[in-house]
Amino acid sequence: MLDKTGIAKRIAKEVKDGYYVNLGIGIPTLVANYVRNDIEVEFQSENGVLGMGPFPFEGDEDADIINAGKQTITTLPGASFFDSSMSFSMIRGKHVDLTILGAMEVSESGDIANWKIPGKMVKGMGGAMDLVASAENIIVAMMHTNREGESKLLKKCSLPLTGVACVKKIVTNLAVLEVTKDGFKLVERAPGISVEDIIKATEGKLIIEGDIPEMSI
Amino acid sequence: MINKKVANINEAMHGVTDNMTLMLGGFGLCGIPENAIAHLVKTGVKGLTCISNNAGVDDFGLGLLLHKHQIKKMISSYVGENDEFERQMLSGELDVELVPQGTLVERCRAAQSGFPAFYTPAGFGTEVAEGKETREFNGKMYVLEKAFEADFAFVKAWKGDEAGNLIFKGTARNFNPAMCGAAKITVAEVEELVPAGTLDPNQIHIPGIFIQRIFQGEVYEKRIEQRTVRKKS
């Protein structure tokens, strides 16, 4: 089974040379740490920066330079700042190559819910609805089940949706799956996890064809 | 040169009354009009509808107005950093409209640019699209979203000149440019106000035509919400 870092490491392998990438808050943020350093990638943050770098050294932090998680950051050579309207032109206009975000639930048809638990948590969708409605290459980073062991990969989402039929790939602590028109297609198993474990943890329709390889990280 | 400089903050804020709709720039606490917010708190104007990406934190930014119950309705995309906000929302004291971030900024920009409405794919098939017109273009579904109507826009820039031209710094730009000229009156506050002719016209982000009043803020705290650093090795 993978921990959050393991999920981030596996997703990092999906990041290709020349990609502009938008990372959501949580596990997705960790992905930046594990991208191969022999490829050129630029990270976009929807509050208005392309070419994000690591956190600043102590004492160098600037209140005017933050990421979408409101954390102080730095920029790399080639970086640019822009306003929110242009930022979402990059997103809706499909100029961003890859979007990685977290989810509370995903359905077998690719619906995603990650912004609201009625009566409990209402923080807002931020840029998530714009991202999932437009991006063609969306990878979801999530735990396969909740704390009670119930599947978060469902036939139908129970929480309010963020977007419909938009998720293409999911990396969980147990598996890598692709969303196809027929359901979740199992692509890889996490180290030490059997196909049976994944079947047990998946409520939505799971497609298993041939031998499922163990993922390499 | 048409001079937009006002003598003081009282003049800058003149005409703001109860029950108005205000736009306020900023993302989190980054690039917020600190001096305008402080003045709104001081005057006690209430029943406000505030259009702003976030709602500040408990003791800074729009959180200061929430604390004094001056806000009737918030229109935002993300409000997760504020306990008092959550309490007022769950108790029904505060009306909240959550809007996808890209839609929020474009509803400002539409008002700025003379578009009554626009289609966006964001929110289709979700509760955001409920009751709204939808339409198919090239096989994909879109939601019709309308331009905002606001009485005042309060924006914050790094530098400005007496003609109202603005230059922003870093990610403090965010929602500010789209709000300029998107309300009946736009008030810009800047860290440094210089005479016209000082700024290079090539470097201007927002031309003064969108600004009605400009002033230099007395003080900027520029609070950092999440101070993240790495150790020097």
Side-chain angles (χ1 to χ4, degrees):
Chain A
M1 195 191 308
L2 301 179
D3 57 6
K4 288 178 179 181
T5 305
I7 295 174
K9 283 181 178 168
R10 175 59 190 81
I11 292 177
K13 290 176 64 180
E14 304 286 327
V15 179
K16 304 284 192 301
D17 191 30
Y19 267 16
Y20 294 104
V21 182
N22 180 288
L23 300 177
I25 295 164
I27 303 173
T29 308
L30 301 173
V31 173
N33 300 330
Y34 304 107
V35 173
R36 281 163 48 191
N37 53 18
D38 60 338
I39 61 174
E40 294 299 331
V41 174
E42 285 193 24
F43 291 103
Q44 197 252 20
S45 193
E46 63 261 28
N47 60 315
V49 56
L50 189 61
M52 256 192 297
F55 295 144
F57 287 117
E58 229 169 329
D60 290 345
E61 60 271 27
D62 182 342
D64 290 332
I65 303 179
I66 62 167
N67 64 17
K70 286 103 180 175
Q71 297 171 311
T72 46
I73 53 155
T74 58
T75 55
L76 295 172
S80 55
F81 295 118
F82 36 85
D83 70 278
S84 303
S85 176
M86 185 172 284
S87 179
F88 282 90
S89 294
M90 293 177 190
I91 289 165
R92 280 190 312 265
K94 304 185 197 301
H95 306 285
V96 174
D97 298 291
L98 176 62
T99 294
I100 301 166
L101 73 176
M104 297 170 186
E105 295 176 350
V106 173
S107 83
E108 63 188 30
S109 56
D111 296 350
I112 178 171
N114 71 353
W115 74 283
K116 184 178 183 181
I117 303 173
K120 270 191 192 165
M121 190 232 31
V122 186
K123 291 179 186 295
M125 67 292 279
M129 283 194 183
D130 307 271
L131 282 158
V132 301
S134 302
E136 287 177 332
N137 196 2
I138 299 175
I139 300 177
V140 168
M142 66 191 293
M143 292 297 169
H144 213 103
T145 55
N146 64 19
R147 287 198 186 96
E148 285 73 44
E150 296 158 340
S151 183
K152 294 164 77 172
L153 278 65
L154 306 170
K155 288 185 192 314
K156 202 169 178 296
C157 293
S158 65
L159 295 170
L161 295 181
T162 309
V164 293
C166 51
V167 176
K168 301 289 188 296
K169 196 171 235 181
I170 306 161
V171 178
T172 75
N173 51 326
L174 305 182
V176 178
L177 308 103
E178 280 169 7
V179 179
T180 69
K181 60 178 178 15
D182 301 317
F184 298 113
K185 187 181 174 193
L186 184 57
V187 181
E188 294 173 18
R189 297 173 290 116
I193 296 297
S194 67
V195 171
E196 286 66 36
D197 294 332
I198 297 162
I199 293 171
K200 258 187 266 170
T202 309
E203 187 222 86
K205 191 178 175 196
L206 191 63
I207 302 159
I208 303 157
E209 288 172 358
D211 284 341
I212 307 299
E214 188 173 289
M215 64 177 84
S216 64
I217 295 169
Chain B
M1 194 267 295
I2 301 172
N3 198 328
K4 305 292 173 72
K5 185 184 169 183
V6 292
N8 52 51
I9 190 158
N10 292 322
E11 204 177 301
M13 305 297 287
H14 179 74
V16 180
T17 55
D18 289 355
N19 304 312
M20 277 189 164
T21 297
L22 314 180
M23 288 178 170
L24 300 109
F27 186 101
L29 300 178
C30 183
I32 58 172
E34 291 186 23
N35 289 268
I37 292 170
H39 196 268
L40 291 169
V41 173
K42 200 170 105 185
T43 60
V45 60
K46 57 186 188 296
L48 301 173
T49 295
C50 292
I51 301 165
S52 176
N53 189 52
N54 312 92
V57 294
D58 278 318
D59 60 345
F60 200 58
L62 288 182
L64 298 169
L65 287 171
L66 281 167
H67 194 71
K68 288 182 69 187
H69 295 85
Q70 290 174 262
I71 301 177
K72 177 179 71 182
K73 181 177 181 180
M74 277 300 309
I75 302 175
S76 304
S77 86
Y78 189 82
V79 293
E81 331 283 356
N82 193 316
D83 294 338
E84 175 64 9
F85 183 100
E86 202 162 10
R87 193 196 64 71
Q88 288 188 22
M89 179 171 62
L90 293 172
S91 70
E93 293 163 61
L94 180 69
D95 188 11
V96 178
E97 180 182 345
L98 291 168
V99 179
Q101 198 177 132
T103 301
L104 187 72
V105 69
E106 219 52 27
R107 288 177 70 186
C108 298
R109 211 182 67 87
Q112 175 191 59
S113 312
F115 295 116
F118 57 91
Y119 284 100
T120 176
F124 178 78
T126 75
E127 62 182 54
V128 163
E130 280 170 20
K132 291 175 186 162
E133 196 181 319
T134 57
R135 188 170 162 181
E136 185 190 320
F137 293 94
N138 303 320
K140 188 174 164 112
M141 293 303 295
Y142 295 81
V143 184
L144 188 69
E145 294 281 1
K146 290 180 179 152
F148 283 125
E149 287 177 32
D151 297 293
F152 277 85
F154 295 106
V155 302
K156 188 261 170 182
W158 180 37
K159 289 180 184 176
D161 68 15
E162 291 167 341
N165 297 307
L166 303 179
I167 296 176
F168 302 92
K169 176 174 162 261
T171 54
R173 197 179 319 184
N174 57 62
F175 279 74
N176 287 297
M179 289 179 173
C180 295
K184 287 175 192 144
I185 295 174
T186 299
V187 180
E189 58 176 88
V190 296
E191 288 177 51
E192 189 186 354
L193 184 61
V194 298
T198 312
L199 302 175
D200 177 356
N202 287 300
Q203 305 298 322
I204 302 295
H205 291 134
I206 287 292
I209 190 171
F210 292 111
I211 308 300
Q212 277 68 49
R213 304 172 188 170
I214 190 166
F215 71 101
Q216 182 172 308
E218 205 168 293
V219 63
Y220 285 97
E221 181 180 333
K222 294 219 249 180
R223 197 184 291 187
I224 292 174
E225 223 166 309
Q226 306 283 344
R227 185 180 300 274
T228 44
V229 294
R230 61 193 154 129
K231 292 258 184 242
K232 274 180 185 152
S233 53

